[in-house]
Each structure stands twice: as C-alpha cells, then as structure tokens.
C-alpha cells in the first residue's frame, strides 16, 4: 500500500491516546478551580477541528462553548473571552501568526490557554498555560479535552467505557479502515483526478472534515478546486447547480446529524450521475460498540480520505508538500 | 434602470425602520423580565443573516449570543437553548419545514421566540411569542433587535444618534448607491456571465452577505457555480487554486474586520488577473457619519449586488424566480 506504515500509524494513535492522563490532570485542575466558558480558537485546518469539537460537545453539554476564528477574534474581538475562559488551541509549528497574536490577546483578556503545540521551543508553546506536545492526531486531542470537561460535569457517564475501548481498539480499527478503503481510494482518485471542481458535502463532526478536506487537502495540497457545503444547507441553494456530470461526494457519519447527510445521499441519484457516498458505517471498527461509533466517525472518514490522497498524489504526480503561494510569498 | 423602482425601495426601507417602535416594545419587555442568552436560528439565507447579526453584536456585547442552524438544532440539539433563551427567526412564507420544526423544539425547551414571519396567517407566525410582519429588509430587522438588546445593556450608547441618522438618511443613501453602482453592475455581469465558477470572499458583516450572495443568488437564482470563502480563511488553503484567470470577487466592508478583506484585496493582483474588489467605502452614504458606516456595510453591498443581479438576469436571459429542484421535487 502506498504511503502506509502500519506500525507507525498504530504507534501514532496509541501514543496520542496515552496523553489522556496528562490532559485529564490539566482539565481536572481547571474544573476544580472553576471556569466560565470554553473557547475553541483556530484558523484554517485547526478552525475546522474546533468546529468538530463544538458539534461533538453540543450533543451532550450545557457548558457555554464556542468556536472562534483567530483572525476574527483579532479584529472583531469577543467580549465573552475573559476571566474564567478556557481557550483550547493546536498548532504544529507554533508560528502561525494569527494564533500567536490570538493567544496573546486572549491572555490579555484574562483567559487561560490549553495548547497542543508540537514545537515545544516555539514562543507559542511557551506562551500558553498548559502545553502538551505530541505530533498529529489533533482531533483526538481536542475530543479528549472536550470529553473530560463533559465527564467532570456529569454529562458523559460512559466516559470510562468509551476510553477503555478506544485505548484497546481504536488504532487497530483505523488501520483496518485504511486497508479496506485502499481500492476505493484508488478508483476515486482515478475517476476524479481531472475534476474542474469537486463538491464535498457533510454534517455533524463530518462538517469540519468536509470543510478541511476540501480546503486543506484538495485545494492546498492537490491544487484541485472544491466547494464544501454543509448537508443542512445543500438544499438551500447549492442543489440548483448540480447536474448529471457534477462531481459531488457526501461524507456520511454516524453522529446525530447522520440523517442530514443521508437526505442528500438519497436525493442525489435523481439529479446527478457523478456522485459518491462515503459512509463510515461501511467500515467494521472491530471491538467498538455501535453507540460509540458516532464519536469517532470523523477519524474513520480521515482514514478513508488518506487513501484517496495517497493515490491522487501518485496519479497526478503532484507532491502534496509543495505550495504555490502559502508561506512562499508575503501577504 | 432595470428592475429599479426608486419610490418603492425608499418606502420599503423606511417602512422597515418604522418597525423599531414595535421591536423595542418586545425587546424592552423581554429585558425587563430578564433572559439568559440569545439564539439566532436560521437556515440557508436566514442562517446567513443570523451570522451577520452575531458578528455585529460581537463587536460590542457581552451577552451570550449564538447562531444555530435549524437543521443542526433538530438533530444535534443545543442544550444552551432553554428557559430564558430568546430565539430570533425570520421567514417569508412561514413554510420552511426546518424553521417550523425548529421553532416547535425551542418552544418545548422553554425558549421564547421573536419572529419576523411575513405571512401572518401561517402556522409559524402563530407559533412564535411575538411576530412582526413586514416584507423584505431581513437584516435591518435583525440588527434593530440586536441593537436594542445591546442598548438596554448599556453597550450601545450611540443608539439614539445612530437611528436618528438611519431614519433620516438610510433609505435615500441606499437608493443612491444603486444608482452609482449601476454601470459597474452591468460591466461586471457582462464580464462574468459565462463563469465556470466564481469565488466570493468576504469578512465581518460581509461574510453573511458573501455566503448568501454566492449560494442564494448566483447558485440558486442564476444557476452559476460559486464558492464563498471567509477572508480570514482565504490564506489557509483556497489561495493555492487561484491563477491568472480565476474569477475572484472580494466584498470589502467597513466594520472591524475590514482589514481581513483588505489583505486579500492587496494580495490578489500578484497572482490573479481576473479579480474584482467591491468596497463599500467607494459609496457616499450622504448624511451618515463615518463611524456608523460599518454597521450598515452589508446593506450597501446588497444595494451594489442588486445591480449585478438585474443585469445578469437580463444578459443571461435567466429569470431569477425559476428553480430547477427547490420546492419542485420531494427530498
């Protein structure tokens, strides 16, 4: 299999899950002292992960939570960020300008920051109140934070059972998804390698996946045009430009918004002859009980899209690490 | 001028502004009794207007406010909606299924609803706690609600001055914008009538305008493909697919997020030969002082895009009222 190192991926996910002790110490300390609200602060891909954390929490929580785009925060501001606010961020290099400035500003407002900044020597890593450094697995880290806050508030009673299964089965299950999805990934990449534009539709914790897969993978890394649209919004405008040949892919997950994407998936065949449905339900996830699958649908989808990426990169002879403009020009 | 009835438009805006007495009675009564938070509930175009109300309020307020998409609310739910929540909605026909069900659900949760449902005989109009019926001007109605809540909280001390100017000058100013933008609208429509895809970029209270102009006008009414992207996010992916011939339009407004769109506008000429900047600052708005212009930038932009629409419809011989699928098929 292309770009696939099974042991490395198992280690990566299992290593991320092992951060839970450290994460819980931080969250438990904050909960003990008390807090007012939680602000998920991001930009680009991390903004998408923030949206996923919030939609996940909305299923269960009464905690005052919100997503904030770092650039919007730096301009409009948000007066709900202040004393008692817990801000959660993630950054690989710690050098994304909007995040560096955003964290400065939330700190000035009196908030405390939990950071997942990989480069420990960066100013950003040093400027947060609690930093946990570990590569990749951003969503998993965010969800572990979210779940602990909800557990501490009595909103996630199945927490222990859930993480027992994650620790035991998640890494293996995701690796098996990749293997099962490899043929599909190759066929999909072959079929869509020349798309003038590709539409991605999704909802729930798949919405962040849809948004970032379209923007951070196809646009940024494959240089293929895309539009992402929330399944709920598909019927309020975008449907009118879909015809026989329009390339549309629906990401169907298993959280509470599944029905919104199923509605799009059911409608598409009537008007479109070039659609694809990727349904996380089609993948086994050995050892994980049905009611827990919704919490990790976005990770399953990511495992599937990784297979598309690996093949698309090879077929299009377009290395995913090159950028035309990003960090190559001043702007 | 095509599709332009000056007196009708003056009357429309002035009539909307006259709702303020009625709106203030409702808001003042709610504020007197006390409330916990404000939920702006919408879908499609009304969801876009909700986003505009929230970004406008974020400039000034500490009130706990949030946008909720009706379909997402019906599936994921939102436990922050309950006793003490004020929900604000808008609907022309009162028949949008997601809104009808959404309002039922927020009422069951204990919230009270302020509705702007045009068709007073609809079930939706009858199901809200306070209904105000008046056609068009959705954003203006929403902002009058938002501003009164902020005024009552002491967060909008310039309220009286601002609305004195609106009552006196807004309608006339917007009509003059349309006149001034008509030539531009025709040229823009001529140039872009055959676009395979058109990108719209915007921020602040222009973000809702960007999102809904792309989706509810070009896609739904002109059947032309678009992608809308927030100016803050433009640099985190989408920029990579812009080349010489890519059609990109930036909506630049005058609220606190202006700098985010200026950044895109300044960068585009380096990589693109087919861009357009629409800057609300280029329009006079007689009688309205500079510091108030940001609050109404989205209305100015709407006046400009109305001119594009009028010409595009004529040039493409595509009546804006026809739909391929929307409310013509079951889904």
């Amino acid at each position: 299999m292309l770009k696939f190192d099974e042991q490395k991926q198992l280690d990566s996910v299992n290593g991320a899950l092992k951060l839970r002790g450290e994460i819980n110490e931080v969250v438990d300390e904050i909960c003990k002292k008390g807090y007012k609200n939680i602000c998920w602060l991001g930009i680009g891909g991390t903004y998408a992960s923030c949206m996923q954390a919030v939609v996940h929490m909305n299923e269960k929580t009464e905690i005052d939570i919100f997503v904030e785009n770092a650039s919007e925060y730096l301009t409009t501001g948000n007066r709900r960020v202040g004393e008692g606010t817990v801000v959660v961020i993630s950054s690989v290099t710690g050098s994304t300008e909007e995040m560096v400035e955003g964290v400065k500003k939330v700190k000035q407002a009196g908030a405390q920051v939990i950071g997942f900044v990989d480069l420990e020597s960066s100013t950003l890593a040093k400027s947060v109140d609690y930093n946990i450094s570990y590569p990749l697995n951003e969503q998993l880290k965010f969800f572990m934070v979210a779940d602990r806050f909800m557990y501490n508030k009595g909103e996630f009673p199945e927490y222990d059972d859930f993480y027992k299964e994650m620790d035991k089965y998640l890494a293996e299950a995701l690796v098996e998804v990749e293997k099962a999805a490899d043929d599909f990934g190759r066929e999909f990449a072959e079929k869509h390698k020349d798309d003038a534009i590709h539409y991605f539709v999704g909802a729930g914790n798949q919405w962040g996946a849809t948004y970032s897969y379209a923007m951070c993978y196809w646009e940024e890394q494959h240089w293929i045009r895309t539009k992402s649209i929330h399944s709920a919004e598909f019927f309020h405008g975008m449907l009118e430009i879909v015809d026989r040949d329009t390339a549309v892919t629906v990401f169907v997950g298993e959280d509470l918004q599944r029905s919104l994407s199923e509605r799009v998936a059911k409608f598409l065949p009537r008007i479109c002859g070039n659609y694809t449905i990727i349904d996380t339900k089609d993948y086994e996830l050995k050892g994980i009980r049905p009611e827990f699958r919704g919490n990790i649908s976005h990770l399953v989808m990511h495992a599937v899209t990784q297979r598309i990426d690996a093949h698309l990169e090879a077929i299009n002879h377009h290395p995913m690490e090159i950028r035309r403009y990003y960090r190559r020009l001043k702007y």
Side-chain angles (χ1 to χ4, degrees), chain A:
Chain A
M1 265 168 71
L2 274 174
K3 269 186 140 179
F4 181 73
D5 180 335
E6 183 163 349
Q7 193 55 50
K8 206 172 143 193
Q9 290 187 214
L10 290 172
D11 292 346
S12 171
V13 171
N14 283 325
L17 285 164
K18 287 212 180 78
L19 301 173
R20 203 152 54 84
E22 206 178 333
I23 287 170
N24 290 355
E25 265 180 47
V26 171
V27 173
D28 293 355
E29 187 185 314
I30 291 170
C31 290
K32 221 169 143 185
K33 289 190 206 151
Y35 64 97
K36 185 178 74 172
N37 51 24
I38 305 174
C39 168
W40 298 85
L41 185 74
I43 192 150
T46 61
Y47 176 60
S49 299
C50 290
M51 293 196 286
Q52 291 177 310
V54 166
V55 75
H56 171 64
M57 292 187 80
N58 269 342
E59 290 200 355
K60 303 177 196 290
T61 201
E62 280 181 19
I63 303 169
D64 181 3
I65 50 168
F66 51 102
V67 187
E68 186 62 52
N69 183 292
S71 269
E72 293 198 68
Y73 178 64
L74 287 169
T75 47
T76 294
N78 191 325
R79 277 156 194 76
R80 288 159 62 209
V81 175
E83 294 287 339
T85 300
V86 181
V87 174
V88 190
I89 65 148
S90 170
S91 176
V92 177
T93 61
S95 67
T96 308
E97 200 187 323
E98 296 94 332
M99 294 307 298
V100 174
E101 295 305 314
V103 165
K104 263 189 213 161
K105 188 170 168 171
V106 301
K107 295 280 295 172
Q108 275 159 12
Q112 54 190 328
V113 184
I114 304 176
F116 294 96
V117 184
D118 294 357
L119 191 64
E120 286 186 276
S121 60
S122 63
T123 315
L124 184 60
K126 286 174 190 157
S127 72
V128 302
D129 298 274
Y130 308 94
N131 191 53
I132 297 172
S133 284
Y134 183 84
L136 306 169
N137 302 285
E138 182 171 277
Q139 286 105 332
L140 197 47
K141 298 173 202 165
F142 275 8
F143 276 49
M144 286 192 284
V145 171
D147 290 346
R148 188 64 177 188
F149 272 109
M150 296 195 291
Y151 169 77
N152 285 346
K153 207 170 184 289
E155 297 172 331
F156 197 164
E158 66 278 29
Y159 178 91
D160 286 324
D161 286 345
F162 175 68
Y163 277 103
K164 218 173 280 171
E165 284 188 12
M166 292 303 111
D167 290 344
K168 199 162 170 191
Y169 299 113
L170 181 65
E172 191 69 51
L174 293 175
V175 154
E176 292 305 319
V177 170
E178 285 215 40
K179 289 182 197 168
D182 191 51
D183 284 345
F184 161 78
R186 195 185 55 251
E187 286 156 26
F188 187 91
E190 283 286 1
K191 187 174 176 189
H192 294 289
K193 68 185 193 310
D194 292 319
D195 282 356
I197 181 160
H198 195 108
Y199 291 90
F200 290 100
V201 189
N205 61 28
Q206 299 294 341
W207 168 239
T210 308
Y211 178 84
S212 77
Y213 190 59
M215 184 172 83
C216 305
Y217 288 79
W218 279 45
E219 290 185 336
E220 184 169 339
Q221 300 184 52
H222 297 297
W223 300 359
I224 298 176
R225 290 180 178 159
T226 64
K227 169 163 180 150
S228 56
I229 184 81
H230 195 288
S231 309
E233 294 283 282
F234 174 83
F235 292 105
H236 293 271
M238 203 211 92
L239 79 168
E240 296 292 350
I241 54 79
V242 177
D243 59 19
R244 189 191 63 186
D245 301 323
T246 314
V248 187
T249 295
V250 190
F251 284 4
V252 185
E254 294 164 75
D255 64 359
L256 294 180
Q257 290 189 31
R258 177 177 175 83
S259 61
L260 302 180
S261 299
E262 281 180 323
R263 191 181 181 207
V264 180
K266 204 177 147 198
F267 173 67
L268 273 177
R270 286 207 68 190
I271 63 164
C272 180
N274 192 19
Y275 70 89
T276 305
I277 312 300
I278 308 181
D279 189 341
T280 59
K281 214 170 189 171
D282 295 337
Y283 295 91
E284 190 194 3
L285 309 185
K286 203 174 160 188
I288 295 167
R289 70 186 82 170
E291 62 267 37
F292 289 159
R293 293 176 59 106
N295 294 341
I296 54 167
S297 293
H298 56 303
L299 303 178
V300 176
M301 191 60 73
H302 181 67
V304 176
T305 58
Q306 290 221 116
R307 298 324 302 154
I308 297 172
D309 290 332
H311 292 289
L312 196 55
E313 177 177 44
I315 292 166
N316 278 352
H317 297 271
H318 181 100
M320 290 176 71
E321 61 268 40
I322 62 169
R323 300 290 179 273
R324 242 196 280 251
Y325 315 121
Y326 185 68
R327 296 194 178 197
R328 304 202 55 191
L329 290 175
K330 283 217 165 217
Y331 42 79

